[in-house]
Amino acid sequence: MGHHCCSKQKVKRGLWSPEEDEKLINHITTYGHGSWSSVPKLAGLERCGKSCRLRWINYLRPDLKRGSFSAQEERIIIDVHRILGNKWAQIAKHLPGRTDNEVKNFWNSCVKKKLIAQGLDPNTHNLLPPSHNKPNKNHNNPKPTSVFSLHSQPKDVSMDMSIPFSTLLSILPNDDTPSIPIYENQNPNLVWTTQEQNPNTFMETSMGSSVPIISSSPSNTSGFGIVNEENCIWSSNNGFQPIDQLNRQDEMLQPQQQEKKAPSAMEIEKADDILNMDASFGSSNFGFDFVESPLLPCGMYYNTSPVDGFAWDC
DNA sequence: AATGAGGTCAACCGCCTAGTA
DNA sequence: ATACTAGGCGGTTGACCTCAT
């Protein structure tokens, strides 16, 4: 049974031949695709329009990146997936030259297994129940191993924000040392089902001080662990700064009240917009938690507390 | 060399949404 | 308001490949 778009005509299925590829490439590079439903006829192909579109998008497009995913791309996929869930098309937008199909395949064939091997649920990015976990060689060290925490003191953050996100990623070591992160942010699959968390979630840093963790618990305004423009301000002098902190510099970051609700399409869009700023620090906000990665090396923190200042604590 | 298991990935299926008549 | 169409998307399939036995 074919699609309604091609049910009336005889269509070929299965793998594309080099000749078919050539016809499609010639047609699109000459005329553009226009209406995909008319492409097969115009290009002289016995394929349905959807098939042509898919072939072009996933395989023939000239701007596609070939080859295996880099460690950096893998981290991006994991981080965005943690926030957005199985929104492959949205995730792929953060990976130039990669398609949603490619990302999806990579996730299902590789990343998923890595996360499970690390004792993490690939759907929620939460720790699996103990029965699923493999023994952790570092279990004597209770310190969380992969937490990107923000203590929003402007004088510290301003320095951090001068670093483009791409640079932040690139300075991360590329080894895939298994780690057991603390997940304060979850994709929508989980965020809305977790128990109400203590709004003042603190984490012990390597220096012994406590820092609050921007959380995607229901008490977090964004709901996605994203610090958005509604409760934060970016200034060139002070860097990324929660509004709350502007008023009460000496107080810990206070969570805003947020009623439990399912994320709206607009909120998902907003989360995605924020993620889109991964390399544009000149704009007014930034999803700090986007940097948090389960594949960060053991014991690594991104710490901006006034006590510790900026540091990657390993 | 043969074969079976498991992994990878291109392609399809079916659903959803937006646009239009 | 309704029906229809095209395009987009996520889930799934199955052909092909690799590797161990």
Side-chain angles (χ1 to χ4, degrees):
Chain A
M1 187 176 77
H3 292 114
H4 52 76
C5 70
C6 53
S7 57
K8 297 171 189 169
Q9 61 201 61
K10 177 187 169 189
V11 292
K12 189 181 168 190
R13 302 184 185 284
L15 295 179
W16 281 62
S17 68
E19 291 75 25
E20 287 177 307
D21 282 346
E22 192 180 347
K23 282 182 180 177
L24 186 57
I25 291 171
N26 286 341
H27 175 76
I28 292 181
T29 53
T30 306
Y31 305 106
H33 62 74
S35 167
W36 281 111
S37 57
S38 62
V39 165
K41 187 178 179 182
L42 296 173
L45 291 162
E46 291 182 346
R47 293 275 182 174
C48 95
K50 276 193 167 188
S51 183
C52 293
R53 174 185 164 271
L54 209 62
R55 182 63 177 172
W56 176 259
I57 289 175
N58 286 339
Y59 199 80
L60 300 176
R61 248 168 53 196
D63 60 328
L64 285 179
K65 189 188 284 185
R66 294 285 171 202
S68 55
F69 283 78
S70 68
Q72 180 174 326
E73 286 177 312
E74 182 177 324
R75 276 195 293 273
I76 291 173
I77 290 170
I78 292 169
D79 286 331
V80 183
H81 182 276
R82 182 166 51 78
I83 297 167
L84 297 177
N86 292 1
K87 301 290 181 184
W88 306 118
Q90 297 295 312
I91 294 170
K93 286 178 183 175
H94 299 280
L95 300 162
R98 302 294 189 183
T99 69
D100 55 348
N101 209 33
E102 210 175 359
V103 171
K104 180 172 57 185
N105 283 334
F106 180 59
W107 177 270
N108 287 327
S109 67
C110 181
V111 180
K112 218 171 173 178
K113 290 167 190 169
K114 275 192 183 179
L115 292 181
I116 291 171
Q118 291 178 31
L120 299 172
D121 185 333
N123 295 318
T124 65
H125 294 247
N126 252 355
L127 287 171
L128 288 165
S131 59
H132 292 82
N133 291 341
K134 292 183 176 180
N136 182 355
K137 291 177 182 177
N138 296 325
H139 68 278
N140 288 334
N141 180 7
K143 186 172 67 176
T145 56
S146 174
V147 173
F148 180 67
S149 60
L150 167 68
H151 186 105
S152 303
Q153 290 297 329
K155 61 186 172 66
D156 298 302
V157 177
S158 61
M159 175 179 64
D160 310 333
M161 298 304 293
S162 66
I163 306 171
F165 179 61
S166 56
T167 305
L168 279 174
L169 280 176
S170 66
I171 64 176
L172 295 175
N174 275 344
D175 68 88
D176 287 338
T177 307
S179 60
I180 306 298
I182 285 180
Y183 285 96
E184 290 298 325
N185 311 298
Q186 305 297 336
N187 65 39
N189 292 335
L190 180 70
V191 167
W192 313 107
T193 59
T194 52
Q195 293 179 336
E196 178 74 22
Q197 299 174 351
N198 182 343
N200 292 317
T201 304
F202 290 85
M203 198 189 75
E204 291 300 313
T205 70
S206 59
M207 298 292 285
S209 60
S210 295
V211 295
I213 300 170
I214 301 297
S215 170
S216 63
S217 69
S219 57
N220 182 294
T221 301
S222 74
F224 288 95
I226 298 299
V227 184
N228 63 30
E229 65 266 37
E230 290 175 5
N231 47 353
C232 299
I233 284 179
W234 164 261
S235 86
S236 56
N237 294 329
N238 297 324
F240 184 79
Q241 189 169 12
I243 293 171
D244 190 56
Q245 293 262 326
L246 289 175
N247 298 328
R248 291 176 290 138
Q249 295 282 345
D250 295 332
E251 296 178 12
M252 288 295 193
L253 180 66
Q254 295 298 315
Q256 301 189 11
Q257 296 303 311
Q258 168 80 10
E259 59 180 301
K260 286 184 180 179
K261 59 175 183 177
S264 65
M266 185 181 297
E267 287 169 327
I268 292 175
E269 189 67 29
K270 177 175 284 186
D272 194 56
D273 288 345
I274 292 169
L275 289 174
N276 274 325
M277 293 184 300
D278 56 4
S280 56
F281 275 58
S283 51
S284 62
N285 50 28
F286 173 67
F288 270 87
D289 279 338
F290 178 49
V291 179
E292 180 183 337
S293 165
L295 295 181
L296 285 178
C298 177
M300 177 168 280
Y301 294 77
Y302 178 66
N303 190 332
T304 60
S305 78
V307 175
D308 299 344
F310 169 80
W312 288 104
D313 294 333
C314 298

